[in-house]
Amino acid sequence: MSYLTQLKTFVEVYRSGNITRAAARLHMSQPAVTSHIQAMENIVGKELFIRKARGVEPTAIADDLALQVASHIDTLEQKVASIRSRASTDHGTLHLAGPAEYLSLVAGPALANLLQADKVNLVIHTGNKSSIYHLLENDVAELAITASEPTDAMYEYQKLDKERLILVMNRVQGKLLGEREISAELLNQHKVVTYDEQLPLVRRYFSEVFNAACESPVAAVCPDIRAISSIIKAGIGYSVLPDYLCKEGIAKGELVALGKPGPENDVYLVWKKGALRHPRVDFAKDVIMAFANMNYLSALPD
């Protein structure tokens, strides 16, 4: 659940020191403001304000929360104001490239947020690393989401997200191995299902966790990580998957997580230098990044 509205109300009450003044500035009723503050107190599990005769006094918890979130709220407000003031040249069709599984399972809300602005139409292109950068290089795609940091000087980028790599196996073999120490030697006795012949995620996991190479026989090569998950659930071998793709299967007992958690991958929003001169592309970049920042704020522990 997103708590951005309640956080914005909290910051205004904190700064004004008075619920009535905060309600006026936010164009809200006093009961609504009070309800938002109570919701935030339920989230953090502590009292945020001490009610006084002429206002409210923040507690130490409120001071800490305001220090952590107020500047982020201000940044998001500035971004939204900037987006609202953009000219009509923001309108048009945007071509976005990225991995099919990330676009379908994670990026959907950000893309929906972009479409709700009713200025940009989307054409989505999916593919692996090489095809994504090929689309950017040849000006087919104007923005791209990728888990590989650009190395060519022709690109600019911002960090969008993180994904944790998890070693998973089908539930039958996984339960048999669950009590044993997981090593490269042990895994190399089992089949692996991989994204492509270079074993990108598997190779990185083996290198950083085991300091060894993967020598498992390849059972299947699937350029869609969702298909890899399905094959493993059906009882074939193991693989290394991003956490967002396997956490539900692990929770349901369809997959078994083995060994140590793998390394984290940064996920990037990438564009060709000069692309942001087009207001449509700059607008889309700001909306997607603003949503990523909002998602960060909504992930505050409850």
Side-chain angles (χ1 to χ4, degrees):
M1 178 179 178
S2 174
Y3 304 113
L4 281 170
T5 303
Q6 290 89 340
L7 280 169
K8 180 180 176 181
T9 303
F10 159 75
V11 170
E12 190 59 53
V13 172
Y14 182 86
R15 286 173 171 169
S16 64
N18 186 285
I19 287 178
T20 302
R21 283 196 296 269
R25 292 173 182 173
L26 292 168
H27 305 289
M28 296 171 59
S29 67
Q30 287 181 243
V33 171
T34 300
S35 176
H36 284 189
I37 296 303
Q38 289 171 343
M40 288 307 305
E41 288 177 334
N42 288 335
I43 292 165
V44 301
K46 299 287 185 179
E47 188 177 29
L48 293 172
F49 297 101
I50 299 171
R51 278 63 176 176
K52 300 287 187 178
R54 296 189 176 181
V56 292
E57 179 181 322
T59 63
I61 295 294
D63 290 334
D64 185 38
L65 181 60
L67 180 65
Q68 293 188 56
V69 306
S71 62
H72 295 291
I73 294 292
D74 291 341
T75 298
L76 293 175
E77 287 287 295
Q78 292 164 8
K79 286 291 185 181
V80 171
S82 174
I83 288 169
R84 285 174 177 167
S85 67
R86 297 292 179 88
S88 60
T89 50
D90 291 342
H91 290 73
T93 298
L94 179 88
H95 290 257
L96 174 76
E101 56 277 357
Y102 187 89
L103 290 174
S104 62
L105 296 175
V106 180
L111 302 184
N113 203 47
L114 175 61
L115 291 171
Q116 285 171 0
D118 203 25
K119 291 186 176 184
V120 173
N121 300 317
L122 271 178
V123 175
I124 295 177
H125 307 264
T126 61
N128 59 17
K129 173 184 174 181
S130 60
S131 63
I132 289 170
Y133 279 104
H134 180 77
L135 291 167
L136 278 176
E137 182 179 354
N138 290 279
D139 299 316
V140 176
E142 297 150 304
L143 290 174
I145 295 174
T146 174
S148 61
E149 183 175 0
T151 56
D152 195 303
M154 76 169 69
Y155 300 115
E156 296 177 320
Y157 60 93
Q158 289 185 14
K159 289 184 181 180
L160 180 68
D161 200 356
K162 285 184 180 292
E163 60 183 22
R164 172 77 67 179
L165 300 183
I166 306 294
L167 175 68
V168 294
M169 183 172 272
N170 66 80
R171 59 185 178 185
V172 176
Q173 291 178 309
K175 288 178 181 178
L176 293 175
L177 296 186
E179 299 300 321
R180 301 177 63 180
E181 181 179 354
I182 304 301
S183 65
E185 293 77 14
L186 179 61
L187 289 172
N188 283 335
Q189 299 172 31
H190 297 269
K191 293 180 180 180
V192 65
V193 183
T194 180
Y195 189 70
D196 64 32
E197 290 84 352
Q198 303 303 314
L199 312 181
L201 301 182
V202 178
R203 186 181 67 248
R204 185 175 177 202
Y205 185 95
F206 268 66
S207 175
E208 298 200 18
V209 175
F210 302 130
N211 192 27
C214 175
E215 299 176 357
S216 294
V218 176
V221 175
C222 298
D224 189 320
I225 302 179
R226 293 168 297 183
I228 295 176
S229 178
S230 296
I231 291 171
I232 295 171
K233 288 177 184 177
I236 305 298
Y238 75 92
S239 191
V240 173
L241 302 177
D243 51 4
Y244 66 83
L245 192 63
C246 60
K247 61 184 179 183
E248 183 177 351
I250 293 171
K252 291 181 178 179
E254 299 169 337
L255 295 170
V256 175
L258 297 174
K260 299 177 181 177
E264 280 190 338
N265 271 339
D266 287 320
V267 178
Y268 303 92
L269 184 64
V270 184
W271 57 92
K272 211 171 178 181
K273 284 185 176 178
L276 298 187
R277 289 197 299 266
H278 301 282
R280 178 188 70 260
V281 181
D282 190 30
F283 169 80
K285 186 267 292 183
D286 280 354
V287 171
I288 293 171
M289 291 306 305
F291 185 88
N293 290 333
M294 289 179 186
N295 197 42
Y296 161 75
L297 284 173
S298 68
L300 286 170
D302 51 24

